[in-house]
Amino acid sequence: MAILAVNAGSSSLKFSLHPYEGGQVLPHTVSGNFEGLEPGGQPILGWKHQGKKHKETIVVPANGAPFQVALARLRSLVQELTQAQGLDAVAHRVVHGGGVFSASVRVTDAVLEQLARFNSLAPLHQPHNLEGIRQFRQAFAQVPQIACFDTAFHAQMPEVDYAFALPKALQAQGVRRYGFHGLSYQYIMSVLEQETIRGRGRVVMAHLGNGASLCAAVGGVSVATTMGFSALDGLMMGTRSGSLDAGVLLYLLEQGWDAKRIEKLLYKESGLLGVSGISADMRTLRGEAAQGNADATRAIDQFTHRVIRETGALTACLGGLDLIAFSGGIGENDAVLREQVCERLAWTGLRIDPQRNRQADGKHAWAVHAPDSRIEIWVIPTDEGRVAAREAAALLREDCAVAA
């Protein structure tokens, strides 16, 4: 049997298939991504199995819906790869669980209705996550659908960190810091706890990609994070602004900007893209900077500075640091950024080994600290799908125990 982990976006669908044997979730045997799933789009499927990459274009019949056609292809692919043994569950990444869901749940109509109330808190992700669940419930009608939340890992944060300096009435309405990237942080923590005893100490985890955040944890529990009420707060990101003086928004409102225009600015036109005017992709900006493009250099420097600044703040909250871990597309693959961050944080006792840092391949957990470093430095390729599959498996075991 197997568990299918999925992450539905506005025009894409990422998936990974995880064998489920003896109550344990194994690393995925196949992973892939559908692109071009927007209405009128041309779906393209890319997937990898047993070290081989495959790519195919999906034909959409006249008046057909690309997402539904993609799900039909995915269902046939799963049946082929699981040798018709079927699925135990589909585990869905859902960005926002609000203050209601602090653990993964089996999806029901009532759960979907509740989750839809958080759409405005994560407009780039939540509506598409939920529409994906609705489509999967139809396409895989006999398979349990499990919602796994990015906010859940931060559910035990102390009030002093999650509360805003706003009237109590607003906090009662749910206006508070939630934190995100929880599935990634849960996976990073599980690897660290296997690799080093310091994984249970004072840890800062850096999930750096198109979306970026930091998380401080002690004993494997989140105690502070840079993202807050929405996925806009904290670090500068690919197209998102990160922390911004609220006075800027008041100014824009006075200038006649409406909510939709401001939302587009903050979510899609800011960050690396906005500062550089070139791209949201760090790889592209590195190439441009190497050619002397000052705008690309400025964007990279600003991104790096924010990581350094917020790491220092979280280190102060922790009262010191035992380990820092880098993950996400940038964190796993950009050796220059890791080196620059660690050099600027040398006052904490961090010492990076330049050679080991360059050898990190983005595929395996890799220690990159120098022998004389007082703090361990790790590069941990994240696997949110495996965490979602584990969450689904845990719910299945609970259901079996209740039935017994």
Side-chain angles (χ1 to χ4, degrees):
M1 300 295 284
I3 295 175
L4 181 66
V6 300
N7 181 7
S10 59
S11 61
S12 65
L13 174 65
K14 297 179 181 178
F15 64 90
S16 54
L17 187 64
H18 299 260
Y20 180 42
E21 300 176 1
Q24 298 298 315
V25 174
L26 304 180
H28 65 257
T29 54
V30 61
S31 62
N33 184 36
F34 288 92
E35 296 180 341
L37 300 185
E38 67 277 6
Q42 176 60 71
I44 297 176
L45 167 61
W47 52 286
K48 186 176 181 180
H49 178 54
Q50 294 180 344
K52 295 182 179 180
K53 294 182 178 180
H54 307 264
K55 190 172 184 178
E56 60 185 87
T57 299
I58 310 299
V59 177
V60 180
N63 300 321
F67 201 100
Q68 293 178 359
V69 174
L71 286 189
R73 176 66 184 102
L74 179 58
R75 184 170 58 245
S76 66
L77 181 64
V78 167
Q79 290 173 344
E80 173 187 336
L81 296 174
T82 58
Q83 297 178 341
Q85 294 180 37
L87 292 174
D88 284 288
V90 178
H92 298 263
R93 180 199 179 196
V94 178
V95 167
H96 218 304
V100 178
F101 299 101
S102 59
S104 299
V105 295
R106 185 186 287 257
V107 175
T108 64
D109 291 341
V111 166
L112 278 176
E113 181 180 353
Q114 181 69 53
L115 290 175
R117 299 175 187 175
F118 308 135
N119 281 355
S120 61
L121 304 186
L124 290 190
H125 303 89
Q126 191 84 353
H128 308 300
N129 295 159
L130 301 189
E131 181 57 27
I133 292 176
R134 296 185 188 100
Q135 296 283 354
F136 269 90
R137 291 182 82 192
Q138 294 180 8
F140 295 80
Q142 305 304 314
V143 180
Q145 308 291 318
I146 310 298
C148 308
F149 304 103
D150 259 341
T151 50
F153 184 74
H154 307 288
Q156 299 181 60
M157 282 195 305
E159 183 178 7
V160 70
D161 190 79
Y162 73 68
F164 292 127
L166 293 171
K168 289 183 178 179
L170 286 174
Q171 183 171 320
Q173 294 175 29
V175 180
R176 49 158 288 180
R177 185 182 302 278
Y178 291 99
F180 299 93
H181 291 136
L183 297 179
S184 177
Y185 290 133
Q186 190 172 338
Y187 180 80
I188 295 167
M189 188 56 62
S190 70
V191 173
L192 289 174
E193 290 176 349
Q194 292 179 349
E195 295 285 348
T196 171
I197 192 172
R198 292 200 182 189
R200 298 295 297 178
R202 299 166 299 180
V203 174
V204 168
M205 295 174 282
H207 179 105
L208 307 178
N210 190 51
S213 70
L214 302 177
C215 174
V218 178
V221 177
S222 173
V223 297
T225 187
T226 57
M227 277 188 173
F229 176 69
S230 72
L232 277 173
D233 201 11
L235 301 179
M236 174 179 170
M237 305 176 218
T239 62
R240 284 173 261 173
S241 64
S243 295
L244 188 68
D245 184 341
V248 174
L249 306 184
L250 296 176
Y251 169 79
L252 294 177
L253 289 170
E254 290 174 354
Q255 298 301 306
W257 291 48
D258 62 16
K260 285 295 182 183
R261 189 178 178 191
I262 292 175
E263 179 183 289
K264 184 178 180 182
L265 168 72
L266 299 181
Y267 277 100
K268 297 183 178 181
E269 299 175 343
S270 300
L272 289 171
L273 175 62
V275 174
S276 71
I278 301 169
S279 175
D281 193 316
M282 181 65 83
R283 295 166 297 184
T284 299
L285 295 180
R286 287 287 185 198
E288 290 289 332
Q291 298 299 317
N293 189 306
D295 291 331
T297 299
R298 181 166 56 252
I300 294 170
D301 289 347
Q302 193 169 330
F303 182 93
T304 305
H305 174 75
R306 290 310 303 264
V307 174
I308 294 164
R309 175 176 171 169
E310 297 302 326
T311 302
L314 292 184
T315 299
C317 291
L318 290 170
L321 191 61
D322 297 309
L323 186 151
I324 183 170
F326 293 90
S327 193
I330 298 173
E332 295 167 19
N333 298 297
D334 196 322
V336 175
L337 179 132
R338 295 194 299 264
E339 188 167 340
Q340 290 176 338
V341 168
C342 291
E343 286 177 350
R344 288 280 302 278
L345 293 169
W347 56 271
T348 64
L350 272 174
R351 299 287 184 276
I352 196 166
D353 183 319
Q355 182 176 355
R356 288 192 61 80
N357 183 46
R358 289 190 295 269
Q359 290 173 339
D361 59 7
K363 299 178 181 179
H364 306 91
W366 199 258
V368 299
H369 45 273
D372 63 342
S373 180
R374 294 203 301 269
I375 298 166
E376 292 188 3
I377 310 167
W378 286 79
V379 181
I380 309 291
T382 193
D383 191 344
E384 294 160 308
R386 190 173 182 185
V387 171
R390 287 172 177 169
E391 291 289 300
L395 280 176
L396 294 176
R397 288 194 295 268
E398 289 179 9
D399 290 348
C400 289
V402 171

